[in-house]
Amino acid sequence: MALQRLTAVFILYSILGYIPSRGVILRTTDKTVWANEFEPIELTCLIESISTNNPRIEWKKIKNGVPSYVYFQNQISGDLEHRAQLIQPANLLILNTSRADTAEYRCEVAAIDDHKHFDEILISLAVRVKPVVPRCSVPVAVTVGTSSELRCLENEGFPASQYRWFRNNEELPQDPKSSPKFINSTYSINADTGGLKFLRMRKEDAGEYYCQAKNEAGHAQCPAQLMEVYDVDIVGIFLKVLAALAGFTIVMVGVYHAHKHGCFSSGKDHTGTNYKPPAADDGVEYAEADEGHFRHKSSFII
């Protein structure tokens, strides 16, 4: 009897075009979503099965394990306020993504009239950030046969930037041996750190160098800088001459101050005349210089 009743109910539902729901069921088109900074992105929360007419829909952002509402009680809130909207039935559209939006987002739907009255789905959002202009370090002058390193770095891009080097507007191949033009070069490029190392500089390595930082969001490059390669260590010679001049200047200043403080006195009195002591006792007793006179020690005959 019960089976006949159940069959009759099923036939009635079929005639009316109504198939009872198994409960609320959600799905998404992509559980891992990438977006470029400042561009829109839509997180899909598709309701495949539901019977409740007005289900409760909520979106939560989970950052570092801490959840916070971004859609609650039929309005956008939290970090996405004024920057997002709900697209029916339950998709979340972020109009202007920022790097701070990188997080996990959970769509939750509650349907009290359904047999299975709750379901949720988790979506991971990663926001790509374009690199900024990298900081480049290029030596002004180097000597043939010496080693040298050029550096390039930027810290804003996400994912982390990869680096490329250019000389005279021509990209340096990652492996110099792969190009006939660079086959005799001794450089190596670290695409992860931005370092360009030369084991032995050649005259042909001279030129204008610049570096480019690149990721999936875009690229940026530093201004070109000239590097010259000399046969003779002109820079070293210049520094040695400069050091010699500095040493000479210090010595002369020392001599001047020593002379000024009387370190080179020759034994002359303040009048500049040489002092000569009396040769012998000639009968005159000399008084001190400040007495201004003399007196007889004994009589003498004119």
Side-chain angles (χ1 to χ4, degrees):
M1 187 71 178
L3 180 60
Q4 292 176 347
R5 190 175 300 174
L6 182 62
T7 302
V9 171
F10 181 78
I11 292 172
L12 179 61
Y13 282 160
S14 298
I15 293 172
L16 297 175
Y18 173 76
I19 299 176
S21 172
R22 294 170 296 170
V24 59
I25 299 175
L26 305 179
R27 73 175 180 88
T28 183
T29 57
D30 198 347
K31 288 189 175 182
T32 302
V33 179
W34 285 88
N36 291 336
E37 191 174 30
F38 310 124
E39 294 182 3
I41 190 65
E42 185 173 350
L43 307 182
T44 59
C45 181
L46 305 175
I47 303 175
E48 286 197 324
S49 173
I50 197 168
S51 296
T52 304
N53 289 328
N54 294 305
R56 188 181 80 244
I57 300 172
E58 295 176 354
W59 277 90
K60 294 176 182 176
K61 175 182 180 180
I62 305 170
K63 188 87 169 181
N64 299 323
V66 180
S68 61
Y69 283 106
V70 291
Y71 182 77
F72 181 65
Q73 294 182 343
N74 299 322
Q75 62 181 3
I76 301 294
S77 60
D79 293 344
L80 298 183
E81 190 173 6
H82 308 304
R83 291 196 301 118
Q85 62 187 47
L86 193 73
I87 305 296
Q88 293 299 328
N91 291 356
L92 182 66
L93 175 63
I94 303 176
L95 301 173
N96 184 19
T97 58
S98 72
R99 64 192 68 188
D101 294 332
T102 295
E104 290 186 321
Y105 293 81
R106 188 168 64 214
C107 174
E108 301 176 357
V109 176
I112 60 174
D113 295 335
D114 283 64
H115 176 68
K116 176 178 176 287
H117 62 270
F118 180 82
D119 198 11
E120 64 181 24
I121 196 163
L122 193 65
I123 301 172
S124 177
L125 172 63
V127 180
R128 302 185 189 97
V129 179
K130 181 182 177 180
V132 297
V133 175
R135 301 184 300 276
C136 297
S137 175
V138 178
V140 176
V142 293
T143 308
V144 169
T146 61
S147 62
S148 187
E149 181 177 3
L150 286 66
R151 296 182 177 89
C152 179
L153 182 65
E154 72 87 30
N155 295 317
E156 296 293 323
F158 180 81
S161 295
Q162 294 288 293
Y163 299 93
R164 301 188 297 171
W165 278 95
F166 295 78
R167 185 184 72 195
N168 299 331
N169 294 319
E170 181 179 2
E171 184 178 357
L172 298 179
Q174 190 73 21
D175 181 8
K177 306 303 179 185
S178 65
S179 171
K181 185 174 182 179
F182 298 95
I183 196 168
N184 293 322
S185 296
T186 63
Y187 71 80
S188 62
I189 299 176
N190 190 321
D192 296 324
T193 64
L196 171 59
K197 293 183 179 181
F198 289 87
L199 294 179
R200 293 179 303 279
M201 298 298 299
R202 305 178 307 139
K203 291 283 289 183
E204 294 81 358
D205 294 325
E208 289 189 336
Y209 286 80
Y210 68 87
C211 167
Q212 183 185 89
K214 184 178 181 180
N215 65 10
E216 291 88 342
H219 66 273
Q221 64 190 43
C222 62
Q225 302 178 48
L226 179 63
M227 182 180 74
E228 296 182 308
V229 182
Y230 294 102
D231 289 323
V232 183
D233 189 3
I234 294 178
V235 175
I237 294 174
F238 173 77
L239 292 176
K240 290 178 182 178
V241 171
L242 189 64
L245 288 175
F248 177 77
T249 302
I250 292 172
V251 171
M252 293 305 296
V253 169
V255 170
Y256 170 78
H257 283 284
H259 181 74
K260 184 177 181 181
H261 290 85
C263 294
F264 296 94
S265 176
S266 60
K268 296 181 179 180
D269 60 15
H270 67 279
T271 62
T273 59
N274 292 332
Y275 169 73
K276 295 181 180 179
D281 187 359
D282 54 3
V284 180
E285 183 177 348
Y286 293 90
E288 295 295 331
D290 57 355
E291 291 180 358
H293 64 276
F294 68 91
R295 56 195 173 123
H296 294 291
K297 184 177 179 181
S298 60
S299 61
F300 60 91
I301 301 174
I302 299 178

